Amino acid sequence: MNEQLISLLERTTAAQEAQAKAMQMVAERLDLLIQALAEDEPEDPDAQPLRYMDGTPCR
């Protein structure tokens, strides 16, 4: 292999590794978002609220 091809392969590998790292970060953030949405209050308007507007839990 010539040096030009090796250099191209090395740059391609580095770009793929950076892309994989970025995709992993996006996946982690999406997971956190999904967890936060799952903890949201029920959608039933007649249901008792779980928290007051200031964030303290209802008793």
Side-chain angles (χ1 to χ4, degrees):
M1 292 182 146
N2 64 27
E3 288 185 35
Q4 194 175 21
L5 182 56
I6 291 172
S7 175
L8 178 62
L9 290 172
E10 288 173 343
R11 288 192 315 241
T12 302
T13 301
Q16 288 176 336
E17 288 172 350
Q19 183 181 22
K21 185 183 281 188
M23 290 174 67
Q24 179 64 32
M25 221 184 323
V26 168
E28 290 170 1
R29 300 279 169 92
L30 285 175
D31 187 46
L32 290 173
L33 177 60
I34 290 169
Q35 289 176 13
L37 290 173
E39 294 172 356
D40 206 5
E41 292 187 28
E43 293 183 22
D44 182 6
D46 296 326
Q48 290 291 328
L50 301 175
R51 297 188 175 275
Y52 292 106
M53 291 180 75
D54 68 356
T56 57
C58 296
R59 295 181 186 196

Coordinates of all heavy atoms in Angstrom, one line a residue:
M1 N 0.8 -1.2 0.0 CA 0.0 0.0 0.0 C 0.9 1.2 0.0 O 1.9 1.3 0.7 CB -0.9 0.1 1.2 CG -1.9 -1.0 1.3 SD -2.9 -0.7 2.8 CE -4.5 -1.2 2.2
N2 N 0.4 2.2 -0.7 CA 1.2 3.4 -0.6 C 0.8 4.3 0.5 O -0.2 4.2 1.2 CB 1.1 4.2 -2.0 CG -0.3 4.6 -2.3 OD1 -1.0 4.9 -1.4 ND2 -0.6 4.8 -3.6
E3 N 1.6 5.3 0.8 CA 1.4 6.2 2.0 C 0.1 7.0 1.9 O -0.6 7.2 2.9 CB 2.6 7.1 2.2 CG 3.8 6.4 2.7 CD 4.9 7.4 3.0 OE1 4.7 8.5 3.4 OE2 6.1 7.0 2.8
Q4 N -0.2 7.4 0.7 CA -1.5 8.2 0.5 C -2.7 7.3 0.9 O -3.6 7.8 1.5 CB -1.5 8.6 -1.0 CG -2.5 9.7 -1.2 CD -2.5 10.2 -2.7 OE1 -2.0 9.5 -3.6 NE2 -3.0 11.4 -2.9
L5 N -2.7 6.1 0.5 CA -3.9 5.2 0.8 C -3.9 4.9 2.3 O -5.0 5.0 2.9 CB -3.8 3.9 0.0 CG -4.9 2.9 0.2 CD1 -6.3 3.6 -0.1 CD2 -4.7 1.7 -0.6
I6 N -2.8 4.7 2.9 CA -2.7 4.5 4.4 C -3.2 5.7 5.1 O -4.0 5.6 6.1 CB -1.3 4.1 4.8 CG1 -0.9 2.7 4.2 CG2 -1.2 4.1 6.3 CD1 0.5 2.3 4.4
S7 N -2.8 6.9 4.7 CA -3.2 8.1 5.3 C -4.8 8.3 5.2 O -5.4 8.6 6.1 CB -2.5 9.3 4.7 OG -3.0 10.5 5.2
L8 N -5.3 8.0 4.0 CA -6.7 8.1 3.8 C -7.5 7.1 4.7 O -8.5 7.4 5.3 CB -7.1 7.8 2.3 CG -8.6 7.8 2.0 CD1 -9.2 9.2 2.2 CD2 -8.7 7.4 0.5
L9 N -7.0 5.9 4.8 CA -7.6 4.9 5.7 C -7.6 5.3 7.2 O -8.5 5.1 7.9 CB -7.0 3.5 5.5 CG -7.2 2.8 4.2 CD1 -6.4 1.6 4.0 CD2 -8.7 2.5 4.1
E10 N -6.4 5.9 7.6 CA -6.3 6.4 9.0 C -7.3 7.5 9.2 O -7.9 7.5 10.3 CB -4.9 6.8 9.2 CG -3.9 5.7 9.3 CD -2.5 6.2 9.4 OE1 -2.2 7.3 9.1 OE2 -1.6 5.3 9.8
R11 N -7.4 8.4 8.3 CA -8.4 9.5 8.5 C -9.8 9.0 8.5 O -10.7 9.5 9.3 CB -8.2 10.6 7.4 CG -6.9 11.4 7.5 CD -6.9 12.6 6.6 NE -7.4 12.2 5.3 CZ -6.6 12.3 4.2 NH1 -5.4 12.8 4.3 NH2 -7.1 12.0 3.0
T12 N -10.1 8.0 7.7 CA -11.5 7.5 7.6 C -11.8 6.8 8.9 O -12.9 6.9 9.5 CB -11.6 6.5 6.4 OG1 -11.3 7.2 5.2 CG2 -13.0 5.9 6.4
T13 N -10.8 6.0 9.5 CA -11.0 5.3 10.7 C -11.2 6.3 11.9 O -12.1 6.2 12.7 CB -9.8 4.4 11.0 OG1 -9.6 3.5 10.0 CG2 -10.0 3.7 12.4
A14 N -10.4 7.4 11.9 CA -10.6 8.4 12.9 C -12.0 9.1 12.8 O -12.6 9.3 13.9 CB -9.5 9.5 12.8
A15 N -12.4 9.4 11.6 CA -13.8 10.0 11.4 C -14.9 9.0 11.9 O -15.8 9.4 12.5 CB -14.0 10.4 10.0
Q16 N -14.7 7.7 11.6 CA -15.7 6.8 12.0 C -15.7 6.6 13.6 O -16.8 6.5 14.1 CB -15.4 5.4 11.4 CG -15.8 5.4 9.9 CD -15.4 4.1 9.3 OE1 -14.5 3.3 9.7 NE2 -16.0 3.8 8.1
E17 N -14.6 6.7 14.2 CA -14.5 6.6 15.6 C -15.2 7.8 16.3 O -15.9 7.7 17.3 CB -13.1 6.5 16.1 CG -12.5 5.1 15.8 CD -11.0 5.0 16.1 OE1 -10.4 6.1 16.3 OE2 -10.5 3.9 16.1
A18 N -14.9 9.0 15.7 CA -15.6 10.2 16.2 C -17.1 10.2 16.0 O -17.8 10.6 16.9 CB -15.0 11.4 15.5
Q19 N -17.5 9.7 14.9 CA -18.9 9.6 14.6 C -19.6 8.6 15.6 O -20.7 8.8 16.2 CB -19.2 9.1 13.2 CG -20.7 9.1 12.9 CD -20.9 8.6 11.4 OE1 -20.1 8.0 10.8 NE2 -22.0 9.0 10.9
A20 N -18.9 7.5 15.9 CA -19.5 6.5 16.8 C -19.6 7.1 18.2 O -20.6 6.8 18.9 CB -18.6 5.2 16.8
K21 N -18.6 7.8 18.6 CA -18.6 8.5 19.9 C -19.7 9.5 20.0 O -20.5 9.5 21.0 CB -17.3 9.2 20.2 CG -17.2 9.8 21.6 CD -15.9 10.5 21.8 CE -14.8 9.5 22.1 NZ -13.5 10.2 22.5
A22 N -19.9 10.3 19.0 CA -21.0 11.2 18.9 C -22.4 10.5 19.0 O -23.3 11.0 19.7 CB -20.9 12.1 17.7
M23 N -22.5 9.4 18.3 CA -23.8 8.7 18.3 C -24.1 8.1 19.6 O -25.2 8.0 20.1 CB -23.8 7.6 17.2 CG -23.8 8.2 15.8 SD -23.6 6.9 14.5 CE -25.1 6.0 14.7
Q24 N -23.0 7.6 20.3 CA -23.2 7.1 21.7 C -23.7 8.2 22.6 O -24.5 8.0 23.5 CB -21.9 6.5 22.2 CG -21.9 5.9 23.6 CD -22.9 4.7 23.7 OE1 -23.0 4.0 22.8 NE2 -23.5 4.6 24.8
M25 N -23.1 9.4 22.5 CA -23.5 10.5 23.3 C -25.0 10.9 23.1 O -25.8 11.1 24.0 CB -22.7 11.7 23.1 CG -22.3 12.4 24.3 SD -21.4 14.0 24.2 CE -20.2 13.8 23.0
V26 N -25.4 10.9 21.8 CA -26.8 11.1 21.4 C -27.7 10.1 22.1 O -28.8 10.4 22.6 CB -27.0 11.2 19.9 CG1 -28.5 11.2 19.5 CG2 -26.3 12.5 19.4
A27 N -27.3 8.8 22.0 CA -28.1 7.7 22.5 C -28.3 7.9 24.0 O -29.4 7.7 24.6 CB -27.5 6.4 22.2
E28 N -27.2 8.3 24.7 CA -27.3 8.5 26.2 C -28.2 9.6 26.5 O -29.0 9.5 27.5 CB -25.9 8.7 26.7 CG -25.0 7.5 26.7 CD -23.5 7.8 27.0 OE1 -23.2 9.0 27.3 OE2 -22.7 6.9 27.0
R29 N -28.1 10.7 25.8 CA -29.0 11.8 26.0 C -30.5 11.5 25.8 O -31.4 11.9 26.5 CB -28.6 13.0 25.2 CG -27.2 13.5 25.4 CD -27.1 14.4 26.6 NE -25.8 14.7 27.0 CZ -25.0 15.7 26.6 NH1 -25.6 16.6 25.8 NH2 -23.8 15.9 27.1
L30 N -30.7 10.7 24.7 CA -32.1 10.3 24.4 C -32.6 9.4 25.5 O -33.8 9.5 25.9 CB -32.2 9.6 23.0 CG -32.1 10.5 21.8 CD1 -32.0 9.7 20.5 CD2 -33.2 11.4 21.8
D31 N -31.8 8.6 26.0 CA -32.2 7.7 27.1 C -32.6 8.5 28.3 O -33.6 8.2 29.0 CB -31.0 6.7 27.5 CG -31.5 5.7 28.5 OD1 -32.6 5.1 28.3 OD2 -30.7 5.4 29.5
L32 N -31.8 9.6 28.7 CA -32.1 10.4 29.8 C -33.5 11.2 29.5 O -34.3 11.3 30.4 CB -31.0 11.5 30.0 CG -29.7 10.9 30.6 CD1 -28.7 12.0 30.6 CD2 -30.0 10.3 32.0
L33 N -33.7 11.6 28.3 CA -34.9 12.3 27.9 C -36.1 11.3 28.1 O -37.1 11.7 28.6 CB -34.8 12.8 26.5 CG -36.1 13.5 25.9 CD1 -36.5 14.7 26.8 CD2 -35.9 13.9 24.5
I34 N -36.0 10.1 27.6 CA -37.1 9.1 27.7 C -37.4 8.9 29.2 O -38.5 8.8 29.6 CB -36.7 7.8 27.0 CG1 -36.7 8.1 25.5 CG2 -37.7 6.7 27.3 CD1 -36.1 7.0 24.6
Q35 N -36.3 8.7 30.0 CA -36.6 8.5 31.4 C -37.3 9.7 32.1 O -38.2 9.5 32.9 CB -35.2 8.3 32.2 CG -34.6 7.0 31.8 CD -33.2 6.8 32.5 OE1 -32.9 7.6 33.4 NE2 -32.5 5.8 32.1
A36 N -36.9 10.9 31.7 CA -37.5 12.1 32.3 C -39.0 12.2 31.8 O -39.9 12.5 32.6 CB -36.8 13.4 31.8
L37 N -39.3 11.9 30.6 CA -40.7 11.9 30.1 C -41.5 10.8 30.8 O -42.7 11.0 31.0 CB -40.7 11.7 28.6 CG -40.2 12.9 27.8 CD1 -40.1 12.6 26.3 CD2 -41.0 14.1 28.0
A38 N -40.9 9.7 31.1 CA -41.6 8.6 31.7 C -42.0 8.9 33.2 O -43.0 8.4 33.7 CB -40.8 7.3 31.7
E39 N -41.2 9.8 33.8 CA -41.5 10.2 35.2 C -42.5 11.4 35.2 O -42.9 11.8 36.3 CB -40.2 10.7 35.8 CG -39.2 9.6 36.0 CD -37.9 10.1 36.5 OE1 -37.7 11.4 36.6 OE2 -37.0 9.3 36.7
D40 N -43.0 11.8 34.1 CA -43.9 12.9 34.0 C -45.3 12.5 34.7 O -45.6 11.4 34.8 CB -44.2 13.3 32.6 CG -44.6 14.8 32.4 OD1 -44.6 15.5 33.5 OD2 -44.9 15.2 31.3
E41 N -46.0 13.5 35.0 CA -47.3 13.3 35.7 C -48.3 12.6 34.7 O -48.1 12.7 33.5 CB -47.9 14.6 36.1 CG -47.2 15.2 37.3 CD -47.9 16.5 37.8 OE1 -49.1 16.5 37.7 OE2 -47.1 17.3 38.3
P42 N -49.3 11.9 35.2 CA -50.2 11.2 34.3 C -51.0 12.2 33.5 O -51.2 13.4 33.8 CB -51.2 10.5 35.3 CG -50.9 11.1 36.6 CD -49.6 11.7 36.6
E43 N -51.5 11.8 32.3 CA -52.2 12.6 31.4 C -53.6 12.8 31.7 O -54.3 13.6 31.2 CB -52.0 12.1 30.0 CG -50.6 12.2 29.5 CD -50.4 11.8 28.1 OE1 -51.4 11.8 27.3 OE2 -49.3 11.4 27.7
D44 N -54.2 12.0 32.6 CA -55.6 12.1 33.0 C -55.8 13.4 33.7 O -55.3 13.6 34.8 CB -55.9 10.9 33.9 CG -57.4 10.9 34.3 OD1 -58.1 11.7 33.8 OD2 -57.7 10.0 35.1
P45 N -56.6 14.3 33.2 CA -56.9 15.6 33.8 C -57.6 15.5 35.2 O -57.5 16.4 36.0 CB -57.7 16.3 32.8 CG -58.3 15.3 31.9 CD -57.4 14.1 31.9
D46 N -58.3 14.4 35.4 CA -59.0 14.2 36.7 C -58.1 13.5 37.7 O -58.5 13.4 38.9 CB -60.2 13.4 36.4 CG -61.2 14.1 35.5 OD1 -61.3 15.3 35.6 OD2 -61.9 13.4 34.8
A47 N -56.9 13.1 37.4 CA -56.1 12.4 38.3 C -55.5 13.4 39.3 O -55.3 14.6 39.0 CB -54.9 11.7 37.6
Q48 N -55.2 12.9 40.5 CA -54.7 13.7 41.6 C -53.2 14.1 41.2 O -52.5 13.2 40.7 CB -54.7 13.0 42.9 CG -56.0 12.8 43.5 CD -56.6 14.1 44.0 OE1 -55.9 15.0 44.4 NE2 -57.9 14.3 43.9
P49 N -52.8 15.3 41.3 CA -51.4 15.7 41.0 C -50.4 15.0 41.9 O -50.8 14.7 43.1 CB -51.4 17.2 41.1 CG -52.5 17.5 42.0 CD -53.6 16.4 41.8
L50 N -49.3 14.7 41.4 CA -48.2 14.0 42.2 C -47.4 15.1 42.9 O -46.7 14.8 43.9 CB -47.4 13.1 41.4 CG -48.1 12.0 40.7 CD1 -47.2 11.2 39.8 CD2 -48.8 11.1 41.7
R51 N -47.3 16.3 42.3 CA -46.4 17.3 42.9 C -47.2 18.7 42.8 O -48.0 18.9 42.0 CB -45.1 17.5 42.1 CG -44.3 16.2 42.2 CD -42.9 16.5 41.5 NE -42.1 15.3 41.7 CZ -41.3 15.1 42.8 NH1 -41.3 15.9 43.8 NH2 -40.6 14.0 42.8
Y52 N -46.8 19.6 43.8 CA -47.3 20.9 43.7 C -46.6 21.7 42.6 O -45.6 21.2 42.1 CB -47.1 21.6 45.1 CG -48.0 21.1 46.2 CD1 -47.5 20.3 47.2 CD2 -49.4 21.3 46.2 CE1 -48.3 19.8 48.2 CE2 -50.2 20.8 47.2 CZ -49.6 20.0 48.2 OH -50.4 19.5 49.1
M53 N -47.0 22.9 42.3 CA -46.4 23.6 41.2 C -45.0 24.0 41.5 O -44.2 24.2 40.7 CB -47.2 24.9 40.9 CG -48.6 24.5 40.2 SD -49.5 25.9 39.8 CE -48.7 26.5 38.4
D54 N -44.6 24.1 42.8 CA -43.2 24.4 43.2 C -42.3 23.2 43.2 O -41.1 23.3 43.5 CB -43.2 25.1 44.6 CG -43.6 24.2 45.7 OD1 -44.0 23.0 45.5 OD2 -43.5 24.6 46.9
G55 N -42.9 22.0 42.9 CA -42.1 20.8 42.8 C -42.1 19.9 44.0 O -41.7 18.7 43.9
T56 N -42.7 20.3 45.1 CA -42.7 19.5 46.3 C -43.8 18.4 46.1 O -44.8 18.7 45.5 CB -43.0 20.3 47.5 OG1 -44.3 21.0 47.4 CG2 -41.9 21.3 47.9
P57 N -43.6 17.2 46.6 CA -44.5 16.2 46.5 C -45.8 16.4 47.2 O -45.8 17.0 48.3 CB -43.8 14.9 47.0 CG -42.5 15.3 47.4 CD -42.4 16.8 47.3
C58 N -46.9 16.0 46.7 CA -48.2 16.1 47.3 C -48.3 15.0 48.4 O -47.8 13.9 48.2 CB -49.4 15.9 46.3 SG -49.5 17.2 45.1
R59 N -49.0 15.3 49.5 CA -49.1 14.3 50.5 C -50.5 13.7 50.5 O -51.5 14.2 50.2 CB -48.8 14.8 51.9 CG -47.4 15.3 51.9 CD -47.0 15.8 53.2 NE -45.6 16.3 53.1 CZ -44.9 16.6 54.1 NH1 -45.3 16.4 55.3 NH2 -43.6 17.0 53.9

